[in-house]
Amino acid sequence: MVQLEEILAVTGETTGWTTEFGKPWDSDLDIVLVPRACDTENWEDSPQRLQLTVIGPGTEDPQTDRAAIIQYMEDKGLTVSGLFGDPSYPDGVSWDASGLGENGLEITYGTSSQSRVISLYGECSSHPSMQNKVSGDTP
């Protein structure tokens, strides 16, 4: 989960994050991920990819926070798209950005004064190990 640790470092908040299920996030957490279809229309024979979502504390400056993540994504070679956010937004509305890399690698990021959400999507793969739950000890 090195990439997630890098993103948390960019946010400046490396503690206080939870999984999407409310469990405290720890980089040493032995988490089991369920692969999801890359092609939702043809999901029965689609390659699979992993998704990990963490939720963290808000920020006082969502615009600057999002700009730092955009720079991170560009530095990693991702094509940035899906930018949402405007200074006229009321407090608590999320400033969002998505980055897409080769073969399905994707980062989505939402930041507001109330919370931040990071979702990482792995590359698409048809490897047999992607047909079930995947964890750190999956062969």
Side-chain angles (χ1 to χ4, degrees), residues 30-47:
D30 185 22
I31 192 166
V32 175
L33 302 174
V34 178
R36 297 189 168 118
C38 295
D39 180 355
T40 55
E41 291 183 22
N42 300 303
W43 59 270
E44 289 181 340
D45 57 1
S46 171

Side-chain angles (χ1 to χ4, degrees), residues 11-79:
T11 71
E13 289 288 343
T14 57
T15 61
W17 294 83
T18 65
T19 68
E20 62 189 309
F21 307 108
K23 297 191 183 280
W25 169 255
D26 182 332
S27 61
D28 294 329
L29 188 66
D30 185 22
I31 192 166
V32 175
L33 302 174
V34 178
R36 297 189 168 118
C38 295
D39 180 355
T40 55
E41 291 183 22
N42 300 303
W43 59 270
E44 289 181 340
D45 57 1
S46 171
Q48 306 282 302
R49 69 180 181 171
L50 298 177
Q51 175 187 343
L52 173 64
T53 298
V54 294
I55 302 164
T59 179
E60 291 181 15
D61 187 354
Q63 187 173 3
T64 300
D65 187 54
R66 183 186 69 169
I69 294 298
I70 289 170
Q71 185 63 55
Y72 170 83
M73 289 190 281
E74 290 174 341
D75 290 348
K76 293 295 182 181
L78 279 70
T79 301

Side-chain angles (χ1 to χ4, degrees), residues 66 81-86 89 94-98 109 111:
R66 183 186 69 169
S81 64
L83 298 176
F84 299 99
D86 185 282
Y89 276 14
S94 182
W95 289 64
D96 300 341
S98 297
Y109 186 75
T111 180

Side-chain angles (χ1 to χ4, degrees), residues 78-139:
L78 279 70
T79 301
V80 176
S81 64
L83 298 176
F84 299 99
D86 185 282
S88 68
Y89 276 14
D91 189 43
V93 175
S94 182
W95 289 64
D96 300 341
S98 297
L100 185 61
E102 295 181 12
N103 198 25
L105 177 66
E106 183 179 353
I107 299 171
T108 62
Y109 186 75
T111 180
S112 74
S113 61
Q114 297 174 359
S115 66
R116 292 182 249 194
V117 178
I118 303 166
S119 291
L120 298 177
Y121 301 86
E123 295 179 332
C124 294
S125 172
S126 295
H127 190 275
S129 67
M130 296 289 280
Q131 302 309 311
N132 296 303
K133 295 178 180 178
V134 178
S135 70
D137 60 0
T138 301

